[in-house]
Every structure is written in C-alpha cells, then in structure tokens.
Amino acid sequence: MSPNIYLRNLPKKKMCGSNKQASEHIKRQHTIPYYAQRVRDSCTTRVTKILCAIFLCLILVVGVVFFILWLSLRPHRPRFYIVDFSIPGLDQHSEFENAQITLNVTARNPNQHIGIYYISMVGSIFYEDSNMGSSPLMDPFYQEPKTTTIVYHTFNVATLAVNSRRWKEFMDNRQQGAVVFRIDIMAAIRFKVSTWGSQHHKMHANCDVAVGQDGSILPAWKNKKCPVYFT
C-alpha cells in the first residue's frame, strides 16, 4: 500500500472514532433527563386515569341514587274498585218516581311515600251514553300513602233524570238478565311529597257495572277495577 493511500485513510479512522465517542457522550448526557421525563409522563397519565375513573364512578353512583329516588317518588294513579251498586225497586213498574241509585266504591292510594289531595270529587251515572245524573261524592280530603278510602253515595230523585220511558227500558233489559250502567268519577287531585305539592290534575275513573233482576250488582262485577286516566 502506498503512503498516499495510508495518509488518506488515517483521518477517516480518526473521524469515525470521534463520531462514535461524541454519540456515546450525547447519549449519556440525555439518558437521565429522558427517563425522568418518561417517568413524569407516566405518572401524569396514571393520575389522569385514576381521576377519570373516580369521576365516572361518582357519576354512576349519583345516577343510581337518582334512579332509585325517581322510582320511589314517581306518583302512581289512584286505584278505584266497585264494591256495590244497586237500584232498589227495579222490579216495580212505578218506582221511577222514587228512583234511587246507591254507589259504593273504594279509592286506593298505592304510593309508598306520596299522599293525594282530593280537591273535589263528582260522580255521574250513564245509561247507554246518556247522563242520568251527577252529584258531588265527597268533600275535599287528604289521603295518606298506602290507604284506602270508601266512597259511598246515594243518587236520589233530585239528582237523577229518570222518566217512565227510561224506566221501561230498564225493565226490558232486566227481563234479559242484566241492566248495564257506566259510572264516571271525576276528581281534581294533587300529589304531595313531604312539603312539596304537585300541580292540579283532573282524574277520571270509568266503571261499567251491571245489575240483575232484583236491582243488585251482579257477582261478576263486584270488586272490579276501574280504568283511571288524566285529562
């Protein structure tokens, strides 16, 4: 090998050695800060994840609590059942002049923690979609949770619109085994939870009921649940 070639190669070896040493020196200089930063980033990520998990758990717990409260405080409609219904003297042709209808219904508050204010309650008797008469059933009252109230009322000749033609229709249907009526109970109510009271609601309970030849309610219609809706 000629001297010139040797001289040209020598600086290159020195340069390669110098670059390698510089790279190792830079690597050693950045090793501690680099890993320190990695540790800080890792800790920050873990703390963020823990905080997010705690926040999500709190949201879940609060949501479950509110759902349970909503289920326990959600008002349920009152329940009405027919206990008794009768028309005395239905078997007498001339009794329309002294016609009476006796109504006995129970009103049940099914709520566990919610009371019901009955501001007014009016009952109406219908025969073939014709209103025979209406009358207030009860004075305003408050019904405690999980209690039942008896609604008893007698419609007399002053509140009933019954003439000889209508009484004859009753008698004809009676001969066929049953006379069907419809009871409509309309009430203005307000729900009450502790010191909080809801707005007024207009409630209707519609009950179909049939009486036999003696004017008494037929067994199949006793204790029948009445559909309830709001308007």
Side-chain angles (χ1 to χ4, degrees):
M1 179 182 294
S2 64
N4 292 333
I5 296 174
Y6 177 79
L7 291 175
R8 284 196 300 269
N9 291 336
L10 184 60
K12 291 182 180 180
K13 289 182 179 181
K14 289 182 178 181
M15 186 177 296
C16 291
S18 176
N19 290 340
K20 184 176 181 181
Q21 292 176 357
S23 176
E24 291 177 354
H25 179 68
I26 293 171
K27 185 176 181 182
R28 284 195 301 270
Q29 284 182 340
H30 288 82
T31 297
I32 295 177
Y34 173 76
Y35 283 106
Q37 183 64 36
R38 289 289 300 272
V39 170
R40 284 195 295 271
D41 292 343
S42 177
C43 290
T44 302
T45 302
R46 289 181 181 178
V47 171
T48 302
K49 289 181 178 180
I50 292 172
L51 290 176
C52 288
I54 294 173
F55 181 70
L56 291 176
C57 288
L58 287 175
I59 291 178
L60 179 62
V61 171
V62 171
V64 170
V65 170
F66 272 101
F67 180 70
I68 293 174
L69 288 176
W70 177 79
L71 286 179
S72 61
L73 298 178
R74 181 170 59 97
H76 295 281
R77 300 174 182 179
R79 298 172 184 170
F80 284 77
Y81 297 87
I82 298 175
V83 178
D84 195 15
F85 184 90
S86 64
I87 306 180
L90 186 60
D91 54 347
Q92 302 295 325
H93 290 277
S94 61
E95 282 299 312
F96 73 91
E97 295 178 353
N98 300 314
Q100 287 187 347
I101 295 179
T102 301
L103 170 68
N104 188 349
V105 176
T106 58
R108 173 72 178 173
N109 179 4
N111 296 286
Q112 186 73 36
H113 305 288
I114 302 175
I116 302 176
Y117 277 118
Y118 283 86
I119 302 165
S120 64
M121 183 184 293
V122 177
S124 300
I125 306 296
F126 288 83
Y127 175 75
E128 295 183 350
D129 294 328
S130 177
N131 191 345
M132 295 175 51
S134 300
S135 176
L137 299 180
M138 296 189 70
D139 294 328
F141 67 97
Y142 174 72
Q143 189 176 35
E144 296 283 349
K146 289 293 183 180
T147 57
T148 300
T149 302
I150 298 175
V151 180
Y152 182 88
H153 186 76
T154 298
F155 295 83
N156 54 34
V157 67
T159 55
L160 290 174
V162 180
N163 52 33
S164 58
R165 181 182 60 83
R166 180 55 52 85
W167 193 263
K168 185 178 184 302
E169 293 178 3
F170 295 165
M171 298 294 291
D172 293 341
N173 288 335
R174 169 182 168 276
Q175 296 299 325
Q176 298 175 8
V179 185
V180 180
F181 298 90
R182 179 168 60 88
I183 306 166
D184 180 76
I185 298 175
M186 184 182 69
I189 66 172
R190 186 162 59 91
F191 295 102
K192 181 179 179 296
V193 182
S194 185
T195 59
W196 172 83
S198 72
Q199 63 179 352
H200 293 177
H201 300 277
K202 185 178 287 187
M203 183 216 72
H204 291 266
N206 283 327
C207 315
D208 290 333
V209 59
V211 297
Q213 294 187 0
D214 60 350
S216 299
I217 186 172
L218 293 174
W221 299 84
K222 271 197 170 186
N223 299 316
K224 182 180 178 182
K225 186 178 180 181
C226 306
V228 175
Y229 64 94
F230 292 104
T231 58

